Amino acid sequence: MSQADAKQALQELTGLTTPDGWTVGEVLQRASYQTGGAFSVGYLATHGDGRKGFLKALDFSRAVDAQDPVRDLEQMTAIYNFERDVLAVCKGARLSKIVVAISDGALEVPKAPFGRVFYLLFELADGDIRRKTYLSNQIDVSWTIRAIQHIATGVSQLH
């Protein structure tokens, strides 16, 4: 399997359903100002009860053609497991400024490494602070103070 085949498999999740009833929707294209997701692809997801979510599909394709694939895979799985574990701790904590993970798991995709694509599923956030700051020419003082207060509250809730 080549890295290109593995990456292509990651683009083919639309229409698949997770074991807990979430249907994978359209892939989200990253804008130039968006960061994060070094080895993931984002999708919108919907549940049969009408909830909307964000599915983060992990992209292990980089390890396929790496100089040391085992080391790369170890690093990527450690990051995935750390994020999954932190989100599990936060799940029942009623954190108002933290996006909560709904579930995690794997979808069967024959062309993907291991025949599966691993994912984390989050509640859909209200917005994207990077989008607001990048696209707005006028960030006023009140918005800045409110954003700092929300960030401080989120950090406090995590501690």
Side-chain angles (χ1 to χ4, degrees):
M1 166 181 299
S2 72
Q3 185 176 16
D5 291 338
K7 280 203 165 298
Q8 180 61 37
L10 212 63
Q11 300 292 323
E12 298 175 357
L13 303 184
T14 299
L16 297 180
T17 303
T18 67
D20 53 348
W22 288 84
T23 301
V24 182
E26 68 182 277
V27 70
L28 298 172
Q29 301 300 323
R30 280 194 191 101
S32 61
Y33 58 83
Q34 292 176 312
T35 60
F39 61 97
S40 67
V41 174
Y43 285 87
L44 288 178
T46 55
H47 195 272
D49 63 11
R51 290 180 289 161
K52 294 187 186 297
F54 170 75
L55 186 131
K56 178 180 180 179
L58 284 294
D59 178 6
F60 294 126
S61 66
R62 157 179 115 196
V64 173
D65 293 333
Q67 285 279 60
D68 188 348
V70 174
R71 186 70 65 200
D72 272 24
L73 192 56
E74 176 186 30
Q75 180 185 20
M76 288 185 271
T77 55
I79 292 168
Y80 170 73
N81 285 328
F82 176 78
E83 184 172 7
R84 184 173 59 171
D85 294 346
V86 167
L87 293 167
V89 169
C90 295
K91 191 170 187 174
R94 297 179 164 230
L95 306 174
S96 64
K97 302 299 180 208
I98 307 296
V99 174
V100 176
I102 297 169
S103 68
D104 62 85
L107 293 166
E108 291 193 29
V109 180
K111 294 179 186 176
F114 315 110
R116 295 181 280 174
V117 172
F118 298 87
Y119 65 85
L120 297 169
L121 184 66
F122 299 90
E123 63 184 4
L124 196 58
D126 293 334
D128 183 345
I129 193 168
R130 290 171 293 208
R131 178 182 174 91
K132 169 74 174 166
T133 57
Y134 181 82
L135 297 178
S136 177
N137 292 331
Q138 297 179 339
I139 301 292
D140 63 15
V141 173
S142 66
W143 182 89
T144 302
I145 291 170
R146 193 169 51 258
I148 291 170
Q149 191 245 344
H150 286 258
I151 292 166
T153 302
V155 170
S156 175
Q157 289 177 351
L158 286 172
H159 283 91

